[in-house]
Amino acid sequence: MTALTAPAATGTAHTHGSPRLTRWLLRLHRSALLVWTVFVLLGSALLLWLAGPLTDAAAEGWRQYNACGTTPRCSYDQDAILFYKSTYNYVAAAMAGLPFLVAAWAGAALTGRELESGTAQLAWTQGVSPTRWLALRLAVPAVAVTAGASLLVLLHHRAWSAAQGRIDTGKPWHDVWTFHANGPTTVALALAGLVAGALAGLVLRRTLPALLLGLALAAGVWGTAQLLMPHLWPAVTEETSLQQGYGHLYSGIQVDHGLITASGGHVPKLECYTTVSGGCARELEKLDAVGYYSTYHPVSHYWPLQLTTGALVLAVAGLGTAAAFWLLRHRTATPRTTA
Amino acid sequence: MTTHTRAALEAVALGKRFGRRGGWALRDCAFRLPAGRICAVVGPNGAGKSTLLALAAGLLGPTEGSVSVLGADPARARARVGFVAQGKPLHPQLTVAETLRMGADLNPGRWDRATAERVVTAGGLDPDARIRSLSGGQHTRVALALALGKRTELLLLDEPMADLDPLARHDLMGLLMGQSAQHGTTIVMSSHVVAELEDSCDHLLLLGGGRIRLAGDIDELLAAHTRLSVPAGSADLSTHTVVESRTTGRQLSALIRPGAAPLPADWRTGPPTLEDLILAHLRNPGATALTTTAPARTEEIRQTEQTEETTA
């Protein structure tokens, strides 16, 4: 957006072709690019390994275990099952940490350090306008982050799908880490992390504080997204009788659950699952309960939730970007319209 | 007195405050620097020198007033202005050769490779040396090479010689003078070492407490002041602007701006040195400021000021 004003700001330099900024951005952040490439390649290799050999071995282990039935002494490949589980968890944790990794880097290295050491100002006096400098610093990493994170997400979804129905301890779709690692929300969160870090660096202009603020902002975005996510799409409410017990409790993304009274009212979050035990029975009678209700998101809501949450996060990232440009233009000399 | 040649730098009511409740780093700054001059920006630490240069380079936006550079606003003049900040920031991970290549890439069409390389090789620098391995003086040399390589009409240098040994200082000063003579580049450099600037600069901008104390051609400024020494109690200085006066024993010595009336013939007078002039103004912040080259728009104000001075 604001980048469009940049060529005018560079004046006569523009007539001789644009300054080759991208080349130097990549050169200056060569090590970061290398680390990111290794991260993506290693993650991809792990996910391919997880989807293939590890899933097969763990599935075979579960088949053996289930075939044991009640036989007291029966051998099954427990190591394969445990190895699958820990590998899956490590990969999921790494993917969950992705937005924070990006935020920390962006805050510290991309903007904070350059403003602290004055190399940003050096660029601004070397024919690069501040808006153009920032536009490029957001756009190039955004491309790299989007490409890498998308690849990881696709491979994660593939690996997760391969285990469905074959590995009994496979994570359900609504497991919080799996939910994000399986879909575009991870990419959106990583982009928001980039903006959070860049903004933190611009605000604080110091490396270490910007790293910490970048992390805090990214955590704020993550927490807000997690908090709002169940409410971004209408949930399903299931009502069951007292005899049937709860229907789908904790089998999807849970929004609310509780008791239905005779008057049709809802009493939320009463953890009474049975009419048999004494205390609960008295409690249910006192409330005049006639059934249970459970409000949740079934698996069919996966994509609507992914897309609305992703869109929300991207909107926040957009606001952050606008704030970063506003701050930079406010602080430095910007072309006067009357000039 | 005001020359109407093109201005390299012109400030009108320029002010900069950091933070909403912070103090003013620079206030009511008005002056005009004609193109082709070599201007010294002098003042004690915290006088606003770096702020003024950063405003001119477009690194900061003014809080009030305006500054124009080569007839344009600083944001539009970036390509024609070179700047070396006080800390001489460079990317530590690049080599000397890479740093110059970056300069060439970022300034397409206005990069003078020969000059940039000459500055670096004259210092005996290894092109493959990393910036982080350079000494302070070598570092400054590369920063200057980057600024000089960019073919600019105005060079803004913030304390450029601070960490150089006398030999390198002499060497680089010569290089700057040569650049100015050859291309007519205007050079503005700040320093708090007066001796460093006396021989090479023809224009002075003296800042104190964020305000301009003196601005103008050095010869004109010197000519406007007189140092005198008279017996205490015998002299009436009321028709002149007294910048500083001191009584030692029965002797009164003063630095004045003579008014319209001629000085009595029996007064012992003499021309001040540049150092006298600067120190007297810094020691006496209450003395009226003098601007011999005011921007066109503040000409009127200057006239009023001078009238006040003569009637004071």
Side-chain angles (χ1 to χ4, degrees), chain A residues 9-10 12 16-17 19-21 23-24 27-28 117-119 122 124-127 130 331-336 339, chain B residues 58-61 73 75-76 78-79 81 83 89-91 93-94 98 101-103 105-110 130 146 150:
Chain A
T10 54
T12 50
H16 299 282
R20 278 180 281 184
L21 289 177
R23 176 181 164 181
W24 288 98
R27 169 63 189 87
L28 292 172
S117 70
T119 48
L122 175 71
W124 304 343
T125 54
Q126 284 286 320
R331 229 186 246 153
T332 62
T334 42
R336 287 194 293 266
Chain B
L59 298 180
L60 293 174
D73 82 74
R76 289 183 202 278
R78 280 183 211 286
V81 176
F83 178 71
L90 293 170
H91 293 287
Q93 71 268 44
L94 299 184
E98 277 180 311
R101 222 161 37 239
M102 183 181 79
D105 276 351
L106 297 189
N107 297 288
R110 22 172 77 246
R130 300 251 169 225
L146 205 52
K150 185 181 169 191

Side-chain angles (χ1 to χ4, degrees), chain B residues 191-214:
Chain B
S191 178
H192 49 250
V193 186
V194 181
E196 173 177 303
L197 307 157
E198 200 157 11
D199 303 331
S200 32
C201 300
D202 52 17
H203 207 93
L204 176 72
L205 210 57
L206 178 66
L207 293 174
R211 285 167 196 265
I212 292 209
R213 310 284 303 117
L214 287 172

Side-chain angles (χ1 to χ4, degrees), chain A residues 138-157:
Chain A
L138 289 175
V140 173
V143 170
V145 163
T146 307
S150 301
L151 178 67
L152 289 175
V153 160
L154 283 173
L155 291 175
H156 188 277
H157 194 267

Side-chain angles (χ1 to χ4, degrees), chain B residues 196-270:
Chain B
E196 173 177 303
L197 307 157
E198 200 157 11
D199 303 331
S200 32
C201 300
D202 52 17
H203 207 93
L204 176 72
L205 210 57
L206 178 66
L207 293 174
R211 285 167 196 265
I212 292 209
R213 310 284 303 117
L214 287 172
D217 186 280
I218 290 180
D219 291 338
E220 282 178 9
L221 288 173
L222 288 174
H225 292 82
T226 301
R227 212 165 44 152
L228 59 85
S229 180
V230 291
S234 72
D236 174 22
L237 297 177
S238 62
T239 56
H240 312 288
T241 305
V242 179
V243 178
E244 180 179 58
S245 73
R246 255 187 305 185
T247 311
T248 39
R250 282 190 278 158
Q251 199 71 8
L252 171 86
S253 35
L255 182 80
I256 61 161
R257 270 173 230 156
L263 298 176
D266 59 336
W267 286 11
R268 270 176 44 213
T269 60

Side-chain angles (χ1 to χ4, degrees), chain A residues 58-110:
Chain A
E60 175 60 19
W62 277 108
R63 199 195 55 75
Q64 291 164 354
Y65 177 84
N66 291 331
C68 286
T70 51
T71 319
R73 289 175 64 85
C74 176
S75 76
Y76 66 98
D77 195 351
Q78 193 188 34
D79 289 346
I81 291 171
L82 293 178
F83 188 62
Y84 170 87
K85 196 174 164 180
S86 54
T87 309
Y88 183 92
N89 286 340
Y90 288 138
V91 173
M95 290 187 65
L98 198 58
F100 303 99
L101 190 75
V102 175
W105 169 77
L110 190 65

Side-chain angles (χ1 to χ4, degrees), chain A residues 10 35 51 62 78 86 93 113 116 119 134 156 160 179 182 192 197 205 219 233 251-252 257 281 284 294 320:
Chain A
T10 54
V35 168
W62 277 108
Q78 193 188 34
S86 54
R113 193 179 56 199
E116 184 175 43
T119 48
L134 180 61
H156 188 277
W160 174 80
F179 175 84
N182 265 350
R205 292 173 282 184
W233 196 256
S251 67
H257 61 271
L284 293 178
S294 170

